[in-house]
Amino acid sequence: HGISSCMETCGFGDYANLKSWLPYMDYFLFDYKAADPILHKKLTGVNNHLILRNLKKLNADGAKIILRCPLIPGVNDSQEHLLSIARLADRLENVRGIHLEPYNPLAAGSYECLGIEAPLQLTGFPSDDIVELWRNTISSATEKTVIRP
């Protein structure tokens, strides 16, 4: 009926599950949180090896992918990580764009409601200048479209 569909995923899991959705999805919104596997594990509890393997498999199977990049000032917004986003997007021909997802401190309330201590004790949104610097850094290193909120 002309309705687009997409799946948001961190990519951590059995690839067969992701692949089973290929015929039904117009896009996969795929999180890319940290290039460094050690930092990724510190932030998420798992390294990024399986995640990157699944991303590459989705790409090889022809899935249209949008990289969603949560960025946290002083945590995963290094020049190295920003440039790794561009390099990854360029290596995968089916990446259609890069969406920047600046840290949202309102999520801390969700942790509180669940009785869980928030993993990051940050306050405030990143400034527009910082988010624009992130966008410019990535855009200067890739032809892919970089969207910021």
Side-chain angles (χ1 to χ4, degrees), residues 9-134:
T9 181
C10 70
F12 186 77
D14 183 2
Y15 182 70
N17 291 328
L18 282 174
K19 188 172 182 171
S20 71
W21 286 96
L22 269 170
Y24 309 106
M25 294 298 132
D26 294 307
Y27 287 95
F28 285 82
L29 305 177
F30 203 103
D31 284 358
Y32 185 59
K33 296 178 177 116
D36 176 37
I38 295 168
L39 177 59
H40 195 280
K41 184 166 184 157
K42 180 180 174 187
L43 295 174
T44 68
V46 298
N47 71 41
N48 59 3
H49 298 300
L50 175 63
I51 293 163
L52 290 172
R53 188 168 45 247
N54 284 340
L55 174 61
K56 290 172 186 171
K57 286 180 180 180
L58 270 179
N59 179 72
D61 283 339
K64 293 181 209 165
I65 300 163
I66 295 175
L67 289 180
R68 291 175 44 108
C69 303
L71 295 171
I72 305 166
V75 176
N76 71 336
D77 68 337
S78 68
Q79 178 90 358
E80 180 182 331
H81 178 58
L82 297 173
L83 294 176
S84 78
I85 293 168
R87 285 191 301 271
L88 180 63
D90 284 344
R91 283 195 311 268
L92 302 173
E93 66 275 4
N94 289 314
V95 169
R96 301 295 199 249
I98 301 165
H99 290 185
L100 301 185
E101 305 290 331
Y103 175 74
N104 183 336
L106 299 177
S110 298
Y111 286 101
E112 187 177 322
C113 288
L114 294 170
I116 301 170
E117 183 177 339
L120 299 171
Q121 303 301 319
L122 302 174
T123 59
F125 291 89
S127 72
D128 287 342
D129 290 342
I130 289 173
V131 177
E132 191 60 20
L133 176 65
W134 295 339

Side-chain angles (χ1 to χ4, degrees), residues 134-146:
W134 295 339
R135 192 192 69 73
N136 289 337
T137 300
I138 297 168
S139 291
S140 70
T142 183
E143 296 290 321
K144 306 285 170 108
T145 301
V146 180

